[in-house]
Amino acid sequence: MALTTAKAELIGVFLESLAYGVYLMVFNECMSVLRKRRSRPSDYLVGTALSLFILITAHLVIDILRNMEAFTSNEAVPNYPSTYYGTWDTWKNIVKSSLYVAVTLVSDAFILYRSFIVWGRNYFIATLPFLLFIADIAIGIFWVYTLSLVLPNENVFVDALFVRVTTFYSITLSMNVICTLLIAIKILRIQRVVAPFSKANKDQVSRLVPIMVESGAAYSAMLVVMITTYTSASPAMFIFLNSMSPIVGIVFSSVIVRVGLGLSHGDSHPAAGAISSGRNRWGTRASSRQPMSSPQAYNYSPSFPGGGAQVSLQQTIHTHIDSFPDDTESSMPSPADYKFSPAHAV
């Protein structure tokens, strides 16, 4: 049985509803993490989370209304759902497309700003992604405008609309890949600096890398599927188009949640340290298990080329003047005594 546009739209709204339920749970956890932060959360984190929630919810409402209207409003008309979904210039369809473009632009702005912050507000590094973001805004506006000019039952996989939609997806994909690589490279550079001083806690630093990479890869993979299905003129494109908005919300809200909780890929236990909202600082502090006297402190604060992060390592060694020779080793801090607070890179 061939997949028609009406069937694809119905399946897409069903999957969108399921994904939205998952998104609600992730969004609730995201806001909980932001509320429980030790200091005032960043405005762009709160703004991104709330903006995505409003836009994604409105997108689902429009899709449900379109489904109800297509399958229940004119049941006496043969194949009315196909006729309904073949009419592209309705206000509901234009609003739906506008909401999707807005969700995409908010998520793009989010990852662009994160890469800008991680690289120490380096304008040179952010130049190319910023130009792609501006181009994305322009193409997104042209996409919605062109959609309003499509005639009923006209093929949306050809002509100007086809070019603008594929260009929009391609630019978004390119920008997300670049920003994800920038963030991953920065974290890897920081890891190399910190590793010699906190080998026992190396996994706590490296856990940030899969967060950045996997989150970007999940969204990028969906964009690849969107481009593939659209360029092949497959109605399956509408399945992914409808479910894309809540998936975007899940991906980017999960970034905030996982960083805030200090979780890594495949790790069911929270990190020993907690995320702080300082200006991208790592801190390690060691202490002895035994009673202390005559403390000695050693501090090391390496700097990073390009800025964006600062590592502050501190080790405090305590010894007992009256300890026996056999107790010397037991009085020294062991690697298990070191606690590491992962970086706040958002």
Side-chain angles (χ1 to χ4, degrees), residues 5 8 30 47 68 70 81 104 137 145 194 199 202 245 290 304 332 334 343:
T5 299
C30 173
M68 293 177 61
T104 303
I137 295 176
Y145 173 73
V194 174
K199 293 182 179 179
K202 184 177 181 180
S245 293
Q290 301 189 11
F304 292 90
M332 297 298 293
S334 63

Side-chain angles (χ1 to χ4, degrees), residues 94-174:
I94 295 174
V95 171
K96 170 188 173 178
S97 299
S98 302
L99 290 171
Y100 173 75
V101 171
V103 169
T104 303
L105 294 178
V106 170
S107 60
D108 287 351
F110 174 75
I111 194 170
L112 170 61
Y113 187 71
R114 288 182 64 231
S115 60
F116 173 67
I117 293 297
V118 167
W119 278 88
R121 301 179 181 271
N122 189 319
Y123 289 94
F124 177 77
I125 291 293
T127 298
L128 179 57
F130 179 75
L131 293 177
L132 291 174
F133 178 66
I134 297 299
D136 222 15
I137 295 176
I139 296 299
I141 294 174
F142 278 119
W143 170 8
V144 176
Y145 173 73
T146 305
L147 187 64
S148 65
L149 303 178
V150 177
L151 299 176
N153 297 317
E154 185 176 347
N155 190 353
V156 296
F157 297 103
V158 297
D159 301 329
L161 182 62
F162 174 82
V163 174
R164 289 169 183 173
V165 171
T166 53
T167 302
F168 180 81
Y169 290 144
S170 300
I171 293 176
T172 300
L173 176 61
S174 300

